Each structure stands twice: as structure tokens, then as C-alpha cells.
């Protein structure tokens, strides 16, 4: 029986690919559990500030940034699936042009 997937969530400053200070421990925890046998999926998200097109682009950039950080530390995730969902899967439903930190996130799902 396979292990249940593990999910790690990191949050970002508005309009950037910079993770928040509060998310640094999550990134550190993630570095400790990824191994060569891990199947890794990295999905970026945004809040509703800005256009849908710019948010789609930013969400992919956030996911790529997390993958790049993990690869730079020697983890075998260069082939990890990276996707961006823009503002389509809000954690906290909001109106357009609403600054909501909970929606500015990257979710990393690891399956062993």
C-alpha cells in the first residue's frame, strides 16, 4: 500500500516569487523529505490582484522558483511536474483585485 501523499504549502509576498519569512521553515522541512524515489508535483497560485493572464504567469513562476531552490540544494526534482493555476483555485474565495495572502501560495505534493 503506498503512503499517503504529503502536502507542503509556502506563501509569497504580493506580486513576487519571494516566499514569506513564515514559509522558510516549510521549505526547510520539504528539503528533508524529498529523495530520489519521490514523485513531486509543484503547483503555483495567486490572489486576484492583477489580470488573469499575469496571474497565470506569476503562478507558474512561483512554482518554478520553488523547484529551482530545491534543485540548487541538490535535491532530485529537476523533472518535477510544475503547473500554475493563477487565481482559479482560491483557498479563500475573494472578489477581483483582492489582496489575500492565503491565496498567494505554492503547494508541493510528494508521493513515495
Amino acid at each position: 500500500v503506498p503512503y499517503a501523499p504529503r502536502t507542503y504549502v509556502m506563501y509569497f509576498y504580493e506580486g513576487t516569487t519571494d516566499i514569506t519569512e513564515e514559509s522558510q521553515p516549510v521549505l526547510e522541512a520539504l528539503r528533508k523529505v524529498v529523495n530520489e524515489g519521490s514523485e513531486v508535483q509543484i503547483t503555483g497560485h495567486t490572489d486576484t490582484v492583477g489580470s488573469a493572464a499575469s496571474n497565470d504567469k506569476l503562478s507558474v513562476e512561483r512554482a518554478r522558483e520553488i523547484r529551482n531552490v530545491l534543485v540548487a540544494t541538490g535535491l532530485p526534482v529537476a523533472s518535477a511536474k510544475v503547473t500554475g493555476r493563477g487565481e482559479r483555485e482560491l483557498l479563500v474565495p475573494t472578489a477581483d483585485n483582492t489582496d489575500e495572502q492565503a491565496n498567494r501560495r505554492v503547494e508541493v505534493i510528494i508521493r513515495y
Side-chain angles (χ1 to χ4, degrees), residues 28-91:
E28 292 303 317
L30 180 58
R31 287 177 175 152
K32 293 177 183 177
V33 298
V34 173
N35 60 50
E36 290 182 12
S38 302
E39 176 186 324
V40 180
Q41 178 179 337
I42 305 170
T43 305
H45 302 270
T46 67
D47 59 20
T48 60
V49 174
S51 71
S54 65
N55 283 333
D56 282 345
K57 182 180 178 204
L58 180 58
S59 66
V60 171
E61 290 171 353
R62 286 176 173 165
R64 286 182 182 152
E65 177 64 19
I66 295 300
R67 180 181 62 188
N68 292 343
V69 167
L70 296 174
V71 167
T73 60
L75 294 174
V77 296
S79 63
K81 182 178 179 185
V82 173
T83 59
R85 299 298 299 149
E87 58 186 67
R88 285 184 292 283
E89 295 176 3
L90 300 174
L91 192 61

Side-chain angles (χ1 to χ4, degrees), residues 5-11 23 25-34 40-43 66 105-112:
R6 296 172 81 177
T7 302
Y8 296 80
V9 181
M10 289 155 281
Y11 299 94
S23 293
V26 177
L27 184 58
E28 292 303 317
L30 180 58
R31 287 177 175 152
K32 293 177 183 177
V33 298
V34 173
V40 180
Q41 178 179 337
I42 305 170
T43 305
I66 295 300
R105 68 195 190 282
V106 162
E107 297 175 350
V108 179
I109 299 173
I110 301 175
R111 293 177 180 86
Y112 299 96

